[in-house]
Amino acid sequence: EAMLRTVGYENILNAEMRVIVMPEGKDPDDVIREDIKAWQEMVDKAMPLLDYMFEKTTANLDLTTANGQKQAGEKLAPIVADIKDTIRLPHYIQKLASLTSKDVNTIKAVISELKPKPVKRKTLEPKPSLAHALRPLVSTPREEYLLAILLQHPTLKNEIEDLSPEYFESSENREIFNAWREVDDISSLKEKLDPAVHEHLDVIINRKLPETRNNIENKLNDSIMRLKEKYLKNMAARKAESGEADIDPARLEEDVQISAQLRELDARKGQKRTGARR
């Protein structure tokens, strides 16, 4: 579902997005830590999002049969119809025609039927902004875990000092965090948010936290430090790419301290797991 939203996000960016296929059970952080060259090879082999959607959709279909071709057409036609890039649209119409053994004009007619028709509104109705409606929910488990702690434990609000909105990579999570800072009662949080974010908010609020109240603060501080470390590393990478040579000594020292604290936390966790096994 998130991938389907990303097709719409391409329209907002007016750019082609690409997909890196991860090894089973691993995320980018795992691969980068284990073998940076392997990660670079995966980046180099990243495939266009729409090609990935075609490949995944047809993987379990028998395209030599009429039924398989029919299913492929039903699943892929709405995706192709959502393409607004007039250069790439004909390419994927042709690709869908080849997969389904139909002529291009037939596929064009189907796509035309699927495209939304302009509707005259008698009255202006409030609706989610286009950017919210089409942008994907970025998978950011740590951000959502941290937000779940904050939303489910309101008493921690006064203890949050070193958490900045810019640490949130997901715009939805950043919007929720900003709204959370402005309200005193969680029940009024939705009033501050775009309706397109409400479903995402409900998922976070209802997320089950296995931790007890005794160690929830440690988990919160750990999550904040890790988000901050990631933000600082990304910022340093962006500066390096843009050729900026200036380095803020205070920020560099802060980055070093955070990394040291995280290594100490990881070491403690490792000792606890070893002790548990013994």
Side-chain angles (χ1 to χ4, degrees):
E1 291 300 320
M3 280 291 182
L4 291 176
R5 295 191 190 98
T6 310
V7 175
Y9 199 47
E10 281 193 325
N11 295 327
I12 297 175
L13 297 174
N14 191 28
E16 180 182 73
M17 302 184 73
R18 291 177 173 264
V19 176
I20 297 174
V21 181
M22 301 300 304
E24 185 70 26
K26 292 187 178 182
D27 59 26
D29 181 64
D30 297 325
V31 178
I32 292 171
R33 289 177 184 273
E34 292 173 6
D35 188 348
I36 186 66
K37 290 184 179 179
W39 167 251
Q40 188 58 54
E41 289 177 2
M42 293 166 62
V43 172
D44 294 339
K45 294 178 181 178
M47 65 171 61
L49 171 67
L50 290 164
D51 289 337
Y52 177 80
M53 295 300 297
F54 268 71
E55 183 177 295
K56 294 297 290 184
T57 300
T58 60
N60 297 319
L61 297 178
D62 184 357
L63 296 177
T64 63
T65 67
N67 186 52
Q69 293 174 0
K70 177 175 179 291
Q71 291 183 60
E74 290 175 345
K75 293 179 179 180
L76 291 171
I79 297 174
V80 176
D82 199 31
I83 301 173
K84 290 183 172 56
D85 186 329
T86 56
I87 303 299
R88 290 189 298 152
L89 179 58
H91 168 77
Y92 287 103
I93 288 178
Q94 179 64 60
K95 187 170 184 175
L96 183 57
S98 298
L99 283 175
T100 57
S101 299
K102 299 290 188 295
D103 63 85
V104 171
N105 289 332
T106 299
I107 298 299
K108 284 183 177 179
V110 172
I111 297 301
S112 178
E113 287 297 317
L114 290 173
K115 285 187 176 294
K117 303 297 187 297
V119 177
K120 293 184 179 180
R121 295 179 179 271
K122 294 182 179 180
T123 58
L124 293 177
E125 300 175 0
K127 60 177 182 178
S129 66
L130 182 62
H132 274 304
L134 293 181
R135 68 189 180 191
L137 291 178
V138 180
S139 177
T140 50
R142 188 173 297 280
E143 293 181 13
E144 290 153 18
Y145 172 68
L146 189 154
L147 285 174
I149 293 177
L150 296 179
L151 295 175
Q152 295 179 33
H153 296 273
T155 56
L156 294 175
K157 189 167 189 175
N158 296 328
E159 301 177 24
I160 301 299
E161 298 178 355
D162 195 26
L163 181 58
S164 169
E166 60 190 4
Y167 296 166
F168 291 89
E169 183 179 1
S170 162
S171 54
E172 286 84 5
N173 293 336
R174 190 184 315 119
E175 183 175 344
I176 291 173
F177 176 70
N178 283 330
W180 170 81
R181 293 196 302 177
E182 297 176 6
V183 300
D184 296 322
D185 185 0
I186 298 298
S187 62
S188 61
L189 189 56
K190 284 188 176 181
E191 298 174 7
K192 291 277 187 180
L193 297 171
D194 189 296
V197 187
H198 288 179
E199 183 178 353
H200 185 51
L201 173 66
D202 290 337
V203 171
I204 293 175
I205 291 178
N206 295 319
R207 175 172 179 169
K208 291 185 179 180
L209 297 175
E211 291 76 23
T212 63
R213 184 65 177 84
N214 293 333
N215 69 352
I216 202 71
E217 291 184 19
N218 292 333
K219 294 289 186 180
L220 176 62
N221 292 330
D222 179 37
S223 296
I224 292 175
M225 281 196 296
R226 292 184 186 276
L227 286 187
K228 187 172 185 179
E229 181 192 40
K230 183 178 180 182
Y231 166 75
L232 292 174
K233 286 182 178 179
N234 289 341
M235 185 171 63
R238 287 194 295 270
K239 284 189 174 184
E241 290 177 358
S242 63
E244 295 182 30
D246 61 306
I247 299 177
D248 183 349
R251 182 58 67 90
L252 180 61
E253 177 63 22
E254 184 179 38
D255 193 5
V256 171
Q257 291 176 356
I258 290 174
S259 296
Q261 290 173 332
L262 290 173
R263 286 195 298 270
E264 183 179 350
L265 283 170
D266 289 338
R268 289 178 182 175
K269 291 177 181 177
Q271 291 172 357
K272 288 182 179 180
R273 287 194 291 268
T274 302
R277 288 196 295 269
R278 290 177 180 174

